């Protein structure tokens, strides 16, 4: 958005980077101050800027961008969990779930960037140092906002309610969502690894029921953790924890996820009736009925795998 307003030339890119950094820092600092989580925010920002200055900027490389995000999740989560020696079972379990998710996602994304060599999302951004820095600033903000429920719960001074069926149910929901993301990612990786699928699009497995089943799992996981952690909230301002699933959904649905992937898909396969049929008849996120075979009247009856 900023890029469209300020122009795409060198000066426009610099202004975009400066404004984006300023907005990101203001949000991070403001929310951290209101909730008393300043050190958590500084830790997230420090890791991101350190990786940017040591590798991202001098090598103009995004190789460690995603993995540094996972590292930041692990570090901030561990800091929040280890702030006090006595921890409730709820805090320990939620911290473990975050650790498991961040480790799995970081490994998956780092393996993918090693295989692909680069990430096309950053091709334009890397041309401007300030705009490139903004990507790392926003990743620190992303980590901080997504971890809000866990950080707030770990800082709760009141007695935690005992573990009950609500917790068990939410942890079970989190497990289902985690498996949904893992299986969807694995299916896509296996599909892309086969040479004969280089110019095809995936419509089988979980991808027959959703155009982005991995994102469905991602959003659902953070909803489950928010509801579990919310039992410990004691102040209205802690309702800012709602930003965790909301910001996750916003990024995936409106910024870096669905828009980029589907724009690339339309560019590559938009002329194919099979692709149009799949896109128009398959839910974007929530799993639903599959599109089914392409009606003969609209084109070839043979559906791509």
């Amino acid at each position: 958005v900023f890029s469209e307003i300020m122009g795409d030339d060198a000066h426009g890119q610099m202004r975009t980077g400066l404004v984006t950094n300023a907005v990101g820092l203001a949000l991070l600092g403001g929310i951290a101050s209101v909730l008393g989580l300043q050190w958590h925010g500084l830790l997230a920002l420090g890791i991101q800027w350190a990786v940017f200055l040591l590798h991202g900027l001098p090598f103009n490389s995004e190789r460690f961008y995603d993995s540094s995000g996972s590292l930041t999740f692990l570090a901030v989560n561990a800091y929040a969990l280890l702030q006090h020696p006595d921890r409730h079972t709820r805090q320990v379990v939620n911290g473990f779930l975050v650790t498991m998710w961040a480790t799995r996602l970081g490994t998956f994304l780092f393996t993918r960037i090693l295989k692909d060599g680069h990430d096309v999302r950053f091709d334009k951004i890397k041309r401007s140092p300030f705009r490139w820095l903004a990507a790392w600033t926003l990743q620190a903000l992303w980590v901080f906002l997504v971890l809000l429920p866990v950080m707030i719960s770990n800082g709760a001074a009141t007695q935690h309610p005992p573990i009950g069926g609500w917790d068990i149910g939410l942890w079970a929901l989190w497990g289902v969502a985690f498996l949904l993301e893992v299986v969807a990612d694995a299916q896509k990786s296996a599909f892309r690894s086969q040479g004969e699928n280089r110019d095809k699009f995936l419509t089988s497995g979980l991808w027959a029921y959703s155009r982005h089943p991995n994102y469905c799992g991602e959003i659902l996981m953070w909803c489950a953790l928010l509801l579990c952690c919310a039992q410990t909230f004691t102040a209205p301002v802690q309702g800012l924890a709602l930003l965790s699933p909301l910001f996750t959904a916003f990024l995936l649905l409106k910024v870096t996820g669905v828009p980029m992937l589907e724009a690339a898909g339309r560019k590559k396969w938009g002329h194919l009736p099979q692709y149009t049929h799949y896109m128009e008849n398959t839910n974007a996120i929530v799993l639903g009925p599959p599109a089914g075979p392409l009606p003969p009247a609209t084109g070839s009856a043979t559906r791509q795998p």
Side-chain angles (χ1 to χ4, degrees):
V1 174
F2 293 144
S3 181
E4 292 177 359
I5 295 174
M6 300 182 182
D8 205 35
D9 59 359
H11 291 294
Q13 290 285 321
M14 183 179 72
R15 289 192 294 269
T16 298
L18 289 173
V19 171
T20 306
N21 276 295
V23 171
L25 290 172
L27 288 172
L28 179 61
I31 296 173
S33 297
V34 167
L35 293 171
L37 300 171
Q38 296 93 327
W39 288 110
H40 302 73
L42 285 173
L43 177 59
L45 186 65
I47 294 174
Q48 286 301 298
W49 278 15
V51 178
F52 169 75
L53 292 173
L54 293 173
H55 187 268
L57 180 62
F59 294 95
N60 200 32
S61 169
E62 68 274 23
R63 171 168 291 192
F64 298 115
Y65 182 79
D66 287 325
S67 56
S68 73
S70 295
L71 174 63
T72 306
F73 267 107
L74 292 171
V76 175
N77 178 57
Y79 174 71
L81 189 61
L82 298 175
Q83 273 186 296
H84 304 288
D86 298 324
R87 282 303 177 192
H88 191 273
T89 302
R90 181 179 294 104
Q91 294 169 315
V92 174
V93 172
N94 288 338
F96 172 76
L97 295 181
V98 171
T99 299
M100 185 166 64
W101 169 82
T103 302
R104 200 288 305 184
L105 185 63
T107 303
F108 172 77
L109 293 176
F110 187 61
T111 302
R112 187 177 69 180
I113 193 65
L114 288 179
K115 182 178 179 180
D116 294 345
H118 77 291
D119 191 329
V120 295
R121 293 178 301 169
F122 302 112
D123 287 349
K124 285 187 177 181
I125 295 175
K126 291 190 296 182
R127 298 174 187 171
S128 166
F130 289 104
R131 196 175 175 195
W132 187 208
L133 173 62
W136 301 78
T137 301
L138 292 180
Q139 181 155 253
L141 176 64
W142 168 61
V143 171
F144 182 81
L145 292 180
V146 171
L147 279 178
L148 277 176
V150 174
M151 293 187 296
I152 293 172
S153 179
N154 280 330
T158 57
Q159 185 80 21
H160 275 248
I163 301 297
W166 181 248
D167 297 281
I168 302 301
L170 289 171
W171 289 332
L173 176 62
W174 188 95
V176 171
F178 179 74
L179 287 176
L180 178 60
E181 183 179 55
V182 170
V183 172
D185 283 339
Q187 288 177 343
K188 191 170 187 178
S189 295
F191 181 83
R192 293 177 61 188
S193 67
Q194 300 176 20
E196 62 269 24
N197 293 330
R198 181 179 301 275
D199 296 319
K200 297 179 181 179
F201 52 92
L202 177 61
T203 62
S204 60
L206 290 172
W207 300 82
Y209 304 95
S210 168
R211 305 201 303 268
H212 305 280
N214 51 342
Y215 294 165
C216 180
E218 177 88 1
I219 296 169
L220 197 57
M221 274 188 285
W222 293 110
C223 288
L225 276 182
L226 169 65
L227 292 173
C228 186
C229 293
Q231 301 173 83
T232 67
F233 297 172
T234 57
V237 71
Q238 294 175 337
L240 286 170
L242 280 168
L243 290 171
S244 174
L246 291 178
F247 191 67
T248 298
F250 172 72
L251 284 181
L252 295 178
L253 301 181
K254 300 297 183 182
V255 185
T256 63
V258 173
M260 287 186 175
L261 290 174
E262 297 199 345
R266 285 191 299 270
K267 183 177 180 180
K268 189 171 185 179
W269 301 298
H271 63 287
L272 298 176
Q274 298 96 325
Y275 182 75
T276 301
H277 175 72
Y278 171 74
M279 295 294 291
E280 292 179 351
N281 295 279
T282 307
N283 287 351
I285 301 295
V286 179
L287 274 64
L294 179 69
T298 62
S300 173
T302 302
R303 191 181 186 192
Q304 294 202 41

